[in-house]
Amino acid sequence: MKKIAFLLALATLGFSCSSSEESKEEVSYNHENDQAATTESVEAEPMTESENVAIVEIESNDQMKYNLAEIRVKAGQKVQLTLKHVGKLPKASMGHNFVLLKDGTDMAKFAMAAGQARENDYIAEEGSIIAHTKIIGGGESDMIEFDAPALGIYDFVCSFPGHYAIMKGKFIVE
Ligand code: ZN
């Protein structure tokens, strides 16, 4: 008799477990749909950090600053990077992006050229770029995926006109 009660309890437990998992999945699915609807360029599904995947979140603000001066990933990792603009100003006046430059790129020269490429979302000299987000305004975010480049130290920069002098940092592959 006791054994039957125990089995029944197990069965109930199993049932409630699986039904709560189902509803969790539904919630995250809807959330992804929302993001896709509001942020056009989200092509990638959010990934989880692992040996092979580096998840990077970097913020930018109305004070023309990133919250990180340094980003570290491991060679061979896939990098999923999200740039968030936590300010309120529109992208026309305080737009930000994240541009990762190839080794040996003259940052000032690149930034001058990109800063004039308004019609191309402030992207120029694409041969010098490893990866970049789009330009975003306050409250927006953009997520990109790329393979970590070879071991080394790379520059990242915001190519909105006049921002590169302050909005820059080191992307370190170790
Ligand atoms: Zn900027």
Side-chain angles (χ1 to χ4, degrees):
M1 194 61 187
K2 254 188 190 169
K3 196 175 173 187
I4 287 168
F6 177 65
L7 283 176
L8 272 176
L10 263 188
T12 315
L13 205 67
F15 177 73
S16 63
C17 253
S18 65
S19 75
S20 80
E21 252 167 42
E22 259 168 39
S23 59
K24 230 190 263 168
E25 266 169 26
E26 224 169 75
V27 168
S28 67
Y29 177 75
N30 286 340
H31 181 62
E32 276 165 29
N33 267 2
D34 285 352
Q35 279 194 332
T38 52
T39 318
E40 279 177 60
S41 80
V42 170
E43 294 148 9
E45 302 265 314
M47 298 193 287
T48 25
E49 184 134 59
S50 73
E51 194 86 337
N52 305 320
V53 179
I55 304 292
V56 178
E57 270 199 24
I58 179 166
E59 292 177 359
S60 55
N61 62 22
D62 287 344
Q63 284 70 50
M64 209 197 290
K65 282 189 175 147
Y66 289 128
N67 68 332
L68 300 177
E70 201 179 279
I71 294 169
R72 285 174 187 271
V73 304
K74 295 192 183 82
Q77 278 185 316
K78 185 172 273 297
V79 181
Q80 185 169 78
L81 181 142
T82 304
L83 173 68
K84 280 187 185 170
H85 192 321
V86 297
K88 291 197 166 73
L89 294 173
K91 70 175 174 183
S93 58
M94 189 52 74
H96 299 307
N97 64 4
F98 170 96
V99 182
L100 180 59
L101 297 174
K102 285 186 181 166
D103 198 19
T105 301
D106 181 332
M107 194 203 283
K109 190 167 161 275
F110 168 82
M112 289 299 285
Q116 286 164 14
R118 183 158 178 250
E119 74 291 344
N120 197 35
D121 214 25
Y122 299 113
I123 291 298
E125 299 193 8
E126 300 194 32
S128 304
I129 298 174
I130 295 170
H132 71 88
T133 67
K134 62 179 183 174
I135 292 272
I136 56 173
E140 296 181 314
S141 69
D142 191 28
M143 182 169 78
I144 55 170
E145 265 178 39
F146 56 95
D147 294 323
L151 286 177
I153 300 175
Y154 302 80
D155 290 313
F156 66 85
V157 64
C158 173
S159 69
F160 193 87
H163 287 197
Y164 82 94
I166 299 173
M167 294 191 74
K168 62 184 173 187
K170 297 294 182 189
F171 187 92
I172 300 165
V173 183
E174 49 194 9

